[in-house]
Amino acid sequence: MPVFEILPLHSVGPARLGATRVEVRQAMDASGFPLQTAHGNCDYFSNAAMQIEYGADDKALFIGVSGGAAFRVVFKGVDVFNLPANEVFALMADADGSGPHDFNSDEYCFPNQILTLWDADEQYDRDGDETRPIWAQVGIGSGAYLAAIVAIDTKA
């Protein structure tokens, strides 16, 4: 089973921030994960386990990944979809270095890494009989992505 490493500000597995839509599709296809569907500025790969969002320049500005059976996703050597949400949060908070960080089970963005967490819930615990809250999606973004979500937060 392939292992996709989360490298903040750079890539998740073969998908790289800043790559064009064509480059991302080629890299994913070469890794055995062809495009499943596209909708607007987003591409979805491998039964929607990976979502890539593109900016106006058609370059990847956000990569979101969910747990699934097709590949493992690791951060700092740890499988992020086989670890309780609070432990993944602590691991990423420690790596971010911008603390302090307060756990939020709905969503969170670590600003130094532009590393995002979304929707911690027991329903995503596929290896522990749905007893532990696991993140639905872990993602990375570019500086443009961070600016966009900060702008949205300030309008709310």
Side-chain angles (χ1 to χ4, degrees):
M1 173 182 305
V3 175
F4 287 2
E5 184 174 3
I6 297 170
L7 298 172
L9 306 173
H10 186 266
S11 60
V12 176
R16 184 177 49 83
L17 291 172
T20 66
R21 186 175 278 214
V22 169
E23 291 169 334
V24 170
R25 288 177 177 180
Q26 289 172 341
M28 292 297 292
D29 190 50
S31 297
F33 299 94
L35 178 69
Q36 181 184 0
T37 188
H39 182 69
N41 66 337
C42 290
D43 282 349
Y44 300 91
F45 299 88
S46 184
N47 298 322
M50 186 173 275
Q51 166 195 345
I52 315 294
E53 184 177 334
Y54 303 92
D57 60 359
D58 213 33
K59 292 185 179 179
L61 59 82
F62 176 78
I63 302 167
V65 63
S66 298
F71 50 83
R72 288 181 48 236
V73 180
V74 299
F75 178 74
K76 303 284 184 191
V78 176
D79 184 339
V80 297
F81 296 109
N82 193 25
L83 192 67
N86 63 328
E87 293 180 34
V88 171
F89 184 91
L91 176 70
M92 293 179 174
D94 184 57
D96 194 65
S98 66
H101 300 280
D102 296 320
F103 180 80
N104 179 335
S105 64
D106 293 329
E107 62 185 354
Y108 198 84
C109 179
F110 295 96
N112 285 349
Q113 301 174 96
I114 315 174
L115 184 58
T116 65
L117 299 169
W118 181 73
D119 194 27
D121 196 285
E122 290 86 2
Q123 70 177 320
Y124 306 116
D125 182 12
R126 293 169 180 87
D127 294 332
D129 297 323
E130 297 187 358
T131 59
R132 310 168 297 172
I134 301 291
W135 293 105
Q137 185 185 70
V138 176
I140 63 169
S142 66
Y145 175 78
L146 181 62
I149 63 173
V150 166
I152 290 168
D153 284 346
T154 58
K155 289 180 183 176

